[in-house]
Amino acid sequence: MITTLQQHVVQEQMRISDSPNELQWLFSGLALATKMIQAQVRRAALVNILGSVDEINVQGEIQQKLDVYANETLIECFSLRESIGIIASEENEHPIAVGHTSPNAQYAIVFDPLDGSSNIDVAVTIGTTFSIFRRPEGDKGDEPLQWVLQPGRKQIAAGYVVYGSSTVLVYSIGNGVHGFTLDPSLGSFILTHENIRMPERGAYYSINEAYCHDFPEVCNRFIEKLKTGALGRKYSLRFVGSMVADFHRTLLRGGIFLYPSTTSFPNGRLRLLYEANPIAFLAEQAGGRATDGKRNISDVEPKDLHERTPLFVGGKFEMAEFERCLRAEI
Ligand code: FDP
């Protein structure tokens, strides 16, 4: 039996709420926007949407044309959903208030429109990450930032879409992790990976090892263990350079993805709200773990919309061994 994303969201929501359509409308906006984005990604060089615009984003990074397209498309599709009060994007300095004063606006959506910018022009996998928070209790509509400055454990749903050899949407609303492949002939996301479990132990590690001279020493010691077989097997390296693609592989095949602090990025490079939070939510739902080296990512109370964090995420075995290494350091 074929199950579409929309059917699945309704079924999943019925388990947790009496109003199954609430999130369905929000997810239909997400599905529409990401289908539009993947259509541009697939034809990028043909429709002159490769390369950069003359803009630097709030992160101090050069914006690619596809970054801008993806951001505008998501904002447009979500702005039409009256259940959404606040939109926060990695590309925008401030959260965007869309009807947050209305009592019907119950959710904030946070996203990185296109993760893996350096891979856009070379036809390598990129993706969109998202996370959804409920309107904070007692909110009177006067503090939009509070809708999104919530710790990851308050996410009610999260996920991503990878634009790779196929377009795959992975999401969780707190009842397991489910993957859907876009069937281009139907234009629908179809359930292909039900209840994904991260293997307790994998065979890959994923890190930009070019920065090894800038990593905390403990990371290098752990990588050495992975490479030499000290953990019972010799691990192989896989690194795409799009976190969402590297995590997708880690979710399905197991192992560990690491983006530690470096001397250039002493607080880590990845963004807590747009990247680490949704990934941690999915990892935990799939039986894995995600930390910043000290705390579970989902316990970190964000102070800033664009806060960065180190991220270590993987299966049970690798995360336990990594933490053993950290403890030995103390
Ligand atoms: P991006 O190219 O979009 O900036 O978000 C940060 C990120 O992508 C991650 O997707 C990726 O893992 C990382 O940067 C790659 O950075 P390095 O080139 O420094 O490894």
Side-chain angles (χ1 to χ4, degrees):
M1 196 185 68
I2 287 182
T3 305
T4 65
L5 174 67
Q6 295 307 317
Q7 289 165 337
H8 199 268
V9 171
V10 172
Q11 283 163 10
E12 281 293 282
Q13 240 220 318
M14 278 196 299
R15 295 176 207 265
I16 56 167
S17 139
D18 297 336
S19 31
N21 294 330
E22 263 187 15
L23 280 181
Q24 195 235 4
W25 186 227
L26 194 155
F27 269 86
S28 83
L30 175 79
L32 175 60
T34 53
K35 282 185 228 171
M36 290 169 71
I37 296 167
Q38 74 85 35
Q40 292 297 91
V41 168
R42 303 261 169 254
R43 295 180 301 159
L46 302 171
V47 292
N48 190 26
I49 201 166
L50 290 182
S52 57
V53 291
D54 289 332
E55 296 282 324
I56 303 279
N57 71 7
V58 58
Q59 319 286 340
E61 295 160 348
I62 297 169
Q63 277 189 312
Q64 303 297 307
K65 288 183 195 167
L66 265 169
D67 282 328
V68 175
Y69 176 82
N71 194 34
E72 286 173 355
T73 304
L74 284 157
I75 292 172
E76 194 176 326
C77 289
F78 286 133
S79 304
L80 298 173
R81 269 62 186 167
E82 63 165 6
S83 59
I84 299 182
I86 299 290
I87 298 173
S89 162
E90 195 210 281
E91 297 292 334
N92 292 79
E93 187 167 0
H94 303 291
I96 303 166
V98 280
H100 66 298
T101 46
S102 154
N104 295 335
Q106 287 305 318
Y107 302 105
I109 181 140
V110 176
F111 55 79
D112 177 358
L114 220 45
D115 175 65
S117 301
S118 67
N119 285 323
I120 292 177
D121 285 0
V122 290
V124 173
T125 302
I126 48 183
T128 298
T129 54
F130 65 92
S131 100
I132 300 167
F133 291 98
R134 210 178 275 289
R135 179 182 196 137
E137 249 170 63
D139 172 81
K140 297 190 183 66
D142 50 355
E143 286 192 76
L145 205 51
Q146 296 319 312
W147 287 51
V148 287
L149 288 187
Q150 303 194 49
R153 73 183 119 78
K154 294 266 179 81
Q155 291 169 105
I156 58 157
Y160 59 80
V161 180
V162 279
Y163 313 108
S165 52
S166 53
T167 300
V168 177
L169 184 151
V170 173
Y171 90 103
S172 173
I173 59 171
N175 182 41
V177 177
H178 312 285
F180 299 76
T181 303
L182 181 66
D183 182 335
S185 62
L186 301 178
S188 299
F189 283 107
I190 305 294
L191 181 63
T192 46
H193 300 68
E194 191 163 21
N195 202 15
I196 300 170
R197 302 299 297 166
M198 197 183 273
E200 288 205 4
R201 180 165 194 186
Y204 298 128
Y205 72 104
S206 187
I207 186 168
N208 189 340
E209 252 187 290
Y211 303 142
C212 64
H213 300 296
D214 294 341
F215 291 152
E217 191 38 42
V218 62
C219 291
N220 288 328
R221 278 198 288 109
F222 180 64
I223 294 167
E224 202 54 23
K225 281 180 190 260
L226 293 167
K227 290 202 282 202
T228 55
L231 300 181
R233 75 171 48 145
K234 288 188 179 177
Y235 283 72
S236 231
L237 172 68
R238 293 282 187 281
F239 187 71
V240 176
S242 300
M243 182 219 57
V244 65
D246 284 311
F247 176 72
H248 188 57
R249 183 194 52 254
T250 308
L251 178 69
L252 296 180
R253 295 278 178 264
I256 185 166
F257 170 85
L258 310 95
Y259 207 117
S261 56
T262 61
T263 33
S264 323
F265 290 100
N267 298 320
R269 165 147 189 199
L270 302 177
R271 268 54 58 134
L272 174 63
L273 284 165
Y274 313 105
E275 293 165 319
N277 267 347
I279 292 309
F281 187 80
L282 295 171
E284 284 175 11
Q285 281 291 317
R289 302 254 329 273
T291 78
D292 66 0
K294 295 190 184 109
R295 302 159 289 183
N296 283 335
I297 290 288
S298 43
D299 290 331
V300 180
E301 301 273 347
K303 297 192 175 46
D304 182 81
L305 197 55
H306 299 289
E307 188 168 327
R308 294 179 191 261
T309 179
L311 175 64
F312 308 97
V313 55
K316 267 197 184 128
F317 176 81
E318 289 81 8
M319 289 304 290
E321 288 299 327
F322 179 58
E323 280 168 348
R324 244 153 55 97
C325 255
L326 288 172
R327 281 197 299 273
E329 176 91 335
I330 296 167

